Amino acid sequence: MSTPKFIVIEGLEGAGKSTALKAIESYLSEKGISSVVTCREPGGTLMGEAIRSIVKDNTIDEKIDSRTELLLMYASRIQLVENIIKPALADGKWVVCDRFYYSTFAYQGGGRDIDVDIIQNIHDASIGEFKPDLTVYMDIDPKLGLARAAGRGELDRFELEKVEFFERTRDMYLKLVDTSSEMKPVDASQSIENVREQVLQVLEEGALF
Ligand code: Z5A
């Protein structure tokens, strides 16, 4: 039996991460892996979901400092890693997560322009060396991603940001792809079926089994 793996899906809003997560679950099931835990960030635990509500709330009547947002992302992440992800892997289950720490480097580092060294220090103190086996990065032009997301109704606090925020976020994602060997890009602007095939191709090439 193969060692359980931790797979992450990353990308801008509307890239199709939720859609890809379902495709990955089906793929693993076809490979005979039935014990799969799925999760999302921020969220996935009681505290994480409370943090998710706060950071996405577009009605909150108080400025959320970028550093507060950064620390909340890591508070949520510590809860998820320690209470869900590590125990699941130790129990022989695979884990597929919608977003992980590359989101913080991209959104808080790129979008909010926080010094990456500061993020790295908080990262090291929070989860240390723990990392995914494979990260699928779904690359999309922010305008297209936001148009897809807008089709769903009311926008959250992030989705209300200007397009320049998402362009900085995407630029950081692309830098991360260049420097992180476990981060594999797919062109998420293609049709749902084409993107699904690209994601499955990345999994096939990922030497996961
Ligand atoms: N955030 C952060 O700042 N720092 C961090 O460290 C972390 C997160 C972890 C989480 O919100 C927010 O937190 C996020 C970043 C920030 N900012 N925002 N916004 P979220 O989880 O609710 O947002 P999201 O991750 O961007 O979810 P999303 O908008 O649902 O995107 P998605 O999951 O990638 O897309 P989807 O639901 O699969 O698809 C969206 C729509 O497009 C849907 O109607 C699909 O049917 C359609 N779709 C999907 N693929 C296609 C293709 N290929 N063609 C056409 N239409 C498609």
Side-chain angles (χ1 to χ4, degrees):
M1 210 168 75
S2 57
T3 318
K5 299 290 187 314
F6 174 31
I7 302 169
V8 167
I9 311 161
E10 285 282 1
L12 294 179
E13 17 290 298
K17 295 181 296 301
S18 317
T19 313
L21 192 142
K22 291 190 196 101
I24 293 174
E25 269 190 293
S26 309
Y27 170 86
L28 293 177
S29 167
E30 280 164 25
K31 294 278 182 186
I33 294 160
S34 51
S35 285
V36 180
V37 171
T38 58
C39 48
R40 65 178 181 180
E41 278 210 343
T45 64
L46 281 177
M47 286 194 70
E49 289 298 321
I51 289 170
R52 182 181 178 86
S53 298
I54 292 171
V55 297
K56 291 189 66 160
D57 188 349
N58 64 8
T59 64
I60 204 156
D61 194 17
E62 176 175 311
K63 183 181 180 326
I64 301 184
D65 193 282
S66 298
R67 293 163 302 174
T68 307
E69 188 179 85
L70 167 64
L71 291 169
L72 286 174
M73 294 301 171
Y74 270 98
S76 171
R77 183 160 303 134
I78 293 168
Q79 291 300 107
L80 186 67
V81 167
E82 298 302 334
N83 295 332
I84 305 289
I85 300 177
K86 282 184 178 172
L89 294 170
D91 199 24
K93 295 173 181 148
W94 287 54
V95 179
V96 186
C97 196
D98 186 339
R99 298 190 178 281
F100 200 50
Y101 57 71
Y102 290 118
S103 283
T104 313
F105 284 87
Y107 282 82
Q108 279 66 50
R112 303 274 190 236
D113 203 23
I114 298 179
D115 187 335
V116 168
D117 289 341
I118 293 175
I119 302 177
Q120 188 65 53
N121 284 335
I122 293 167
H123 177 94
D124 293 344
S126 303
I127 64 165
E129 298 290 311
F130 183 75
K131 58 184 216 172
D133 295 289
L134 177 72
T135 297
V136 182
Y137 166 58
M138 308 193 61
D139 185 51
I140 195 162
D141 184 304
K143 291 192 186 84
L144 178 55
L146 289 170
R148 286 182 189 166
R152 287 179 309 203
E154 200 188 345
L155 302 179
D156 67 31
R157 198 176 63 86
F158 288 97
E159 289 162 345
L160 288 170
E161 289 290 340
K162 293 195 172 72
V163 73
E164 291 77 18
F165 170 85
F166 296 100
E167 281 164 354
R168 291 194 299 277
T169 303
R170 185 194 194 189
D171 288 347
M172 184 62 83
Y173 266 132
L174 292 171
K175 277 189 199 156
L176 293 165
V177 167
D178 280 346
T179 53
S180 314
S181 58
E182 57 82 24
M183 198 175 185
K184 306 293 180 196
V186 305
D187 177 1
S189 67
Q190 302 300 314
S191 68
I192 289 184
E193 186 48 34
N194 179 291
V195 173
R196 197 182 78 87
E197 280 167 19
Q198 291 183 65
V199 170
L200 298 188
Q201 180 75 23
V202 166
L203 294 178
E204 281 292 326
E205 290 167 0
L208 294 169
F209 305 97

